[in-house]
Amino acid sequence: APWDMILCIHNFPNRIAGLRFEWAWQNPKISVRLKMYDWQKKKTENGVQFQIRVLERMLNVPPWNKLPLTIQWLRSEYKIPLVPPLHMPIALGPIEEPSEIGDTVTSRETNCTLCHTTVSEDNNIYCVHNQCTFHLICLANKWVSKTDILPVSGTCPKCSTPQLWGEMVRFRNRLSKSKSDIPSQHWSDQLSQK
């Protein structure tokens, strides 16, 4: 083949976000989020090194620096040092499909650990390690900073395990997909109902 795929950025919240990211990566000189930076290719850079420099900047500016993205190097021989935000893991090897979860939440609590009221199936979120139960909005409000709309990470208030918000939402979404293919209300709709 004339080229090899060496890197993949995945876990975007939806296809539109992924396409917008791809467009900005291909057009950094005219992207609203990136055009203020100097995008001249250095004499010492090859094309791949330049694209990785653009990628590193993109991953560290809004809105992309808040997304729960995964940087997946597909070919180790091309791996270039990259410094993404701390909540974005760097993986090596082929992309694997998430395993089927089914009903793996074994001990579902019916009350929110934070407000101690009943949690319904359509507004719940679980700690991915110990399955502690919360209202989605209770945990989001506890973890979100004053300058952000969505949380990035936090510590489970019950089991004290560090958690990434994106992982918890993906876990929640896979659980609900295993029960029904029809989504009820999107979790982000609840954020405006404060």
Side-chain angles (χ1 to χ4, degrees):
W3 54 270
D4 289 323
M5 184 181 290
I6 62 171
L7 175 73
C8 181
I9 309 301
H10 58 96
N11 288 334
F12 288 92
N14 56 50
R15 288 185 176 123
I16 300 298
L19 288 170
R20 286 179 177 160
F21 182 90
E22 180 181 18
W23 184 89
W25 194 1
Q26 292 172 355
N27 302 283
K29 292 179 182 177
I30 58 175
S31 166
V32 172
R33 304 279 183 188
L34 301 170
K35 66 183 176 184
M36 73 283 297
Y37 301 107
D38 177 26
W39 293 119
Q40 296 295 30
K41 190 169 141 189
K42 298 175 184 173
K43 291 180 182 178
T44 58
E45 285 180 321
N46 64 32
V48 172
Q49 291 166 332
F50 173 72
Q51 290 299 327
I52 298 303
R53 183 165 57 93
V54 173
L55 172 65
E56 185 170 36
R57 173 66 70 171
M58 288 179 69
L59 293 174
N60 286 287
V61 298
W64 305 298
N65 65 341
K66 299 297 179 190
L67 295 177
L69 303 177
T70 298
I71 297 99
Q72 185 94 26
W73 287 97
L74 303 172
R75 303 280 307 262
S76 61
E77 63 267 25
Y78 296 109
K79 188 175 177 189
I80 297 172
L82 183 65
V83 183
L86 292 175
H87 69 277
M88 292 185 193
I90 298 176
L92 182 60
I95 299 171
E96 297 176 11
E97 288 292 319
S99 60
E100 290 299 317
I101 289 185
D103 280 324
T104 59
V105 178
T106 53
S107 60
R108 285 207 185 160
E109 300 169 8
T110 56
N111 290 332
C112 174
T113 302
L114 294 171
C115 72
H116 308 292
T117 61
T118 303
V119 177
S120 66
E121 285 292 319
D122 63 340
N123 79 6
N124 60 11
I125 195 160
Y126 304 100
C127 160
V128 295
H129 300 291
N130 294 312
Q131 287 101 25
C132 309
T133 305
F134 306 94
H135 286 112
L136 191 135
I137 199 71
C138 289
L139 192 59
N141 286 337
K142 182 164 181 62
W143 285 2
V144 76
S145 70
K146 301 253 186 256
T147 57
D148 293 327
I149 296 172
L150 292 174
V152 173
S153 64
T155 302
C156 176
K158 185 172 182 182
C159 68
S160 301
T161 306
Q163 304 281 320
L164 294 176
W165 184 256
E167 282 184 11
M168 293 178 74
V169 171
R170 276 193 292 278
F171 180 69
R172 175 187 190 273
N173 291 343
R174 288 198 315 247
L175 280 174
S176 61
K177 273 187 183 173
S178 70
K179 291 181 186 167
S180 167
D181 292 330
I182 303 167
S184 56
Q185 182 183 24
H186 191 268
W187 61 267
S188 63
D189 296 337
Q190 297 174 13
L191 294 175
S192 61
Q193 298 174 2
K194 289 184 184 178

